[in-house]
C-alpha cells in the first residue's frame, strides 16, 4: 500500500514503527516513495528514493508478495515448508527440508554454534509453552516451573539436530524449530536483493523497526532512530549510508506482566525463561539475517557477557540498554550513535575482544 504525503498519517506511521526514519519521515518530496504492509506479524515499510514512481509502485508490490510468501513458508506452526518439517521432526521422524530451508538451517545452525547456543532456533517448544507464538494473543501468566523444566529437559539444540552434511533434521519428540529471530532478517535481505535487481540503489526495507538500508537519501545519509525501551520515545539517531543493517531485539516488543515482573519473548535456551538484564540490544551489521540473529544472541548473553559473544559473531558495532536504562556501547559503536535523551546519559564503553 502506497503511503500518502498526509503529515498526520505520516506521524502515525512514525509512531507505529519501533525504529524509524528520522529525517524525511515527514518531509516527503516527489522523489521518495513509501509503502507499508503487514507481514510476519509486523509492520513492514519500504522507502525507495530517487526512482520513477510507477516502477517503485511495481517494486513494492513484488516485495510485499515476497514477504507474504516467506511468512507462509517459514511459519513454524502453519502448513508451509517449516511447519511441515516441524510436524515430522516433533513426532520423531527425520525432517527433510527443501533446499532453500536447508540453506537457512545451515546458516542458523552455524550462528547458533558461534554464539555458544545463545541464539538457538530449537527453542520452538519453549516459545509455544510460554505462548509467544501468536501475534494476536498474549499470555497472562508464565507457565509452571515444572512445565518449563520438562520442556527444557526434552529440548536438544539445533546444532545437535541439524546434520550439515546430510541436510536433514533428526527427529526428536516435541522439537519445534522457530526461525523467528532470523527469518525476518532473511526476508529483509531478499527484499533488498529484489529491489537492487530492479535497479533501485537507494532504499530502506524496515520490518518492525529492524532494517537494511542501501545507498543514501539524496545528498544526505539515511538517518534512523532507535527506540527507548521503556517510554517509546527516541533514544538515539544513527546515520547509515552504503549498505548496512540495523537490528534491535528488546524486552518491550512482545511481553506481559505478572505479579510485577515482565516476561518477554526472547528466551534464554539454558534456563527456559525470558532473558534478564538487558532491555534492548542494537546491532549494526552487514546482512540483515545474521544481524537479526546476533541481536537476539546478545540479549541472551546479557549485560556482562555480550562483548564475548559479539566477538564470536564477528560484530563490531553494538549498543545495549540495561534494565535500569543505563547504556553500554562497543568502542566502534560510539561514534555512530547520537543520543537524544534530554540529559545525555553516561555511556560505558566496552571493548569487543
Ligand atoms: P523480534 O522478532 O521482535 O525483532 P527477535 O529478533 O529477538 O525479536 O526474535 C525473537 C523471536 O525469536 C521470539 O519471538 C522467538 O520466536 C524466537 N526466539 C526467542 N528466543 C530465542 C533464542 N534464544 N534463539 C533463537 N530464537 C529465539
Ligand atoms: Mg533478532
Amino acid at each position: 500500500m502506497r503511503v500518502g504525503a498526509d503529515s498526520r498519517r505520516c506521524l502515525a506511521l512514525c509512531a507505529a514503527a519501533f525504529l524509524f526514519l528520522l529525517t524525511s519521515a515527514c518531509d516527503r518530496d516527489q522523489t521518495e516513495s513509501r509503502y507499508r504492509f503487514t507481514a510476519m506479524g509486523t509492520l513492514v515499510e519500504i522507502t525507495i528514493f530517487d526512482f520513477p514512481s510507477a516502477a517503485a509502485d511495481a517494486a513494492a508490490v513484488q516485495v510485499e508478495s515476497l514477504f507474504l510468501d516467506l511468512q507462509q513458508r517459514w511459519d513454524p506452526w502453519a502448513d508451509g515448508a517449516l511447519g511441515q518439517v516441524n510436524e515430522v521432526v516433533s513426532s520423531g521422524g527425520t525432517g527433510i527440508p527443501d533446499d532453500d530451508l536447508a540453506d537457512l538451517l545451515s546458516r542458523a545452525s552455524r550462528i547458533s554454534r558461534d554464539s555458544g547456543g545463545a541464539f538457538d532456533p530449537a527453542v520452538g517448544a519453549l516459545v509455544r509453552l510460554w505462548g509467544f507464538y501468536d501475534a494476536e494473543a498474549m499470555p497472562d501468566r508464565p507457565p509452571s516451573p515444572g512445565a518449563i523444566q520438562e520442556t527444557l529437559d526434552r529440548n536438544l539444540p539445533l546444532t545437535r539436530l541439524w546434520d550439515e552434511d546430510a541436510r536433514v533434521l533428526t527427529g526428536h519428540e516435541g522439537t519445534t524449530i522457530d526461525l523467528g529471530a532470523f527469518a525476518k532478517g532473511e526476508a529483509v535481505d531478499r527484499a533488498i536483493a529484489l529491489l537492487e535487481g530492479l535497479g533501485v540503489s537507494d532504499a530502506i526495507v524496515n520490518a518492525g523497526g529492524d532494517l537494511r538500508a542501501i545507498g543514501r537519501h539524496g545528498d544526505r545519509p539515511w538517518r534512523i532512530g532507535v527506540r527507548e525501551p521503556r517510554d517509546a520515545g527516541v533514544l538515539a539517531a544513527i546515520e547509515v549510508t552504503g549498505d548496512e543493517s540495523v537490528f534491535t531485539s528488546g524486552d518491550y516488543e512482545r511481553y506481559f506482566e505478572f505479579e510485577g515482573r515482565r516476561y518477554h519473548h526472547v528466551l534464554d535456551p539454558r534456563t527456559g525463561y525470558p532473558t534478564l538484564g538487558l532491555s534492548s540490544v542494537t546491532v549494526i551489521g552487514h546482512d540483515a539475517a545474521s544481524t537479526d540473529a546476533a541481536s537476539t544472541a546478545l540479549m541472551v548473553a546479557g549485560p556482562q557477557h555480550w562483548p564475548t559473544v559479539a566477538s564470536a559473531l564477528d560484530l563490531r558495532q553494538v549498543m545495549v540498554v540495561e534494565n535500569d536504562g543505563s547504556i553500554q556501547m562497543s568502542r566502534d559503536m560510539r561514534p555512530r550513535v547520537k543520543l537524544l535523551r534530554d540529559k545525555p546519559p553516561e555511556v560505558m564503553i566496552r571493548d569487543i575482544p
Side-chain angles (χ1 to χ4, degrees):
M1 176 186 122
R2 178 176 262 277
V3 177
D6 176 84
S7 62
R8 272 182 315 171
R9 196 161 161 203
C10 184
L11 275 176
L13 193 158
C14 295
F18 295 146
L19 184 147
F20 42 83
L21 307 183
L22 287 179
T23 49
S24 83
C26 298
D27 61 340
R28 279 169 41 95
D29 48 44
Q30 294 107 331
T31 56
E32 182 178 298
S33 308
R34 190 176 286 195
Y35 311 84
R36 62 193 288 223
F37 56 88
T38 304
M40 297 184 156
T42 197
L43 176 75
V44 181
E45 189 179 289
I46 316 293
T47 309
I48 299 175
F49 196 81
D50 198 18
F51 201 65
S53 79
D57 288 355
V61 169
Q62 288 192 48
V63 171
E64 180 170 359
S65 0
L66 171 74
F67 263 91
L68 295 177
D69 177 45
L70 297 179
Q71 158 185 295
Q72 205 271 338
R73 273 156 63 184
W74 297 338
D75 184 326
W77 293 282
D79 190 31
L82 180 58
Q84 287 170 17
V85 166
N86 272 335
E87 206 174 310
V88 174
V89 173
S90 65
S91 48
T94 301
I96 307 174
D98 62 35
D99 272 352
D100 188 48
L101 183 56
D103 288 342
L104 215 62
L105 289 167
S106 286
R107 283 161 55 211
S109 179
R110 266 176 253 139
I111 297 173
S112 186
R113 181 199 61 205
D114 293 346
S115 72
F119 165 77
D120 184 2
V123 291
L126 280 167
V127 172
R128 183 94 197 179
L129 178 71
W130 277 90
F132 289 122
Y133 60 95
D134 184 350
E136 309 296 316
M138 193 49 70
D140 57 7
R141 60 186 54 224
S144 73
I148 293 170
Q149 194 55 51
E150 204 180 299
T151 310
L152 205 56
D153 289 344
R154 255 202 336 256
N155 235 53
L156 283 179
L158 180 63
T159 47
R160 286 200 39 207
L161 295 166
W162 176 243
D163 183 330
E164 182 86 43
D165 300 321
R167 288 163 75 82
V168 297
L169 271 167
T170 305
H172 187 70
E173 205 66 35
T175 291
T176 304
I177 307 300
D178 173 359
L179 292 170
F182 187 57
K184 203 167 67 180
E186 178 67 15
V188 169
D189 284 334
R190 293 189 190 190
I192 288 288
L194 191 158
L195 291 174
E196 285 178 327
L198 294 170
V200 173
S201 44
D202 303 289
I204 291 197
V205 177
N206 176 351
D210 294 326
L211 59 87
R212 180 164 172 176
I214 54 170
R216 340 171 27 90
H217 184 271
D219 56 6
R220 56 182 192 263
W222 293 108
R223 189 156 178 258
I224 59 167
V226 180
R227 206 194 108 150
E228 277 285 7
R230 287 294 174 269
D231 66 11
V234 186
L235 165 66
I238 296 177
E239 290 192 343
V240 177
T241 43
D243 183 355
E244 285 185 310
S245 299
V246 186
F247 272 66
T248 300
S249 273
D251 67 2
Y252 53 84
E253 306 203 33
R254 274 193 205 181
Y255 73 96
F256 61 90
E257 277 169 9
F258 180 72
E259 295 182 345
R261 277 194 58 191
R262 173 184 293 247
Y263 296 92
H264 64 93
H265 73 148
V266 180
L267 302 177
D268 185 332
R270 297 163 299 192
T271 64
Y273 282 80
T275 64
L276 297 171
L278 295 179
S279 294
S280 73
V281 173
T282 302
V283 178
I284 304 181
H286 177 56
D287 71 286
S290 60
T291 308
D292 190 0
S295 64
T296 306
L298 299 190
M299 276 292 285
V300 177
Q304 301 305 324
H305 303 296
W306 68 263
T308 319
V309 177
S311 168
L313 294 175
D314 231 357
L315 309 173
R316 302 316 307 170
Q317 300 180 41
V318 178
M319 169 170 69
V320 307
V321 181
E322 296 185 62
N323 290 158
D324 68 0
S326 56
I327 294 175
Q328 304 181 24
M329 283 185 218
S330 64
R331 198 166 291 284
D332 290 352
M333 186 64 143
R334 188 66 194 95
R336 300 294 310 269
V337 175
K338 182 165 182 237
L339 291 168
L340 299 176
R341 281 185 187 158
D342 290 342
K343 185 171 173 284
E346 283 213 15
V347 176
M348 185 199 286
I349 301 294
R350 303 281 302 269
D351 283 307
I352 296 177

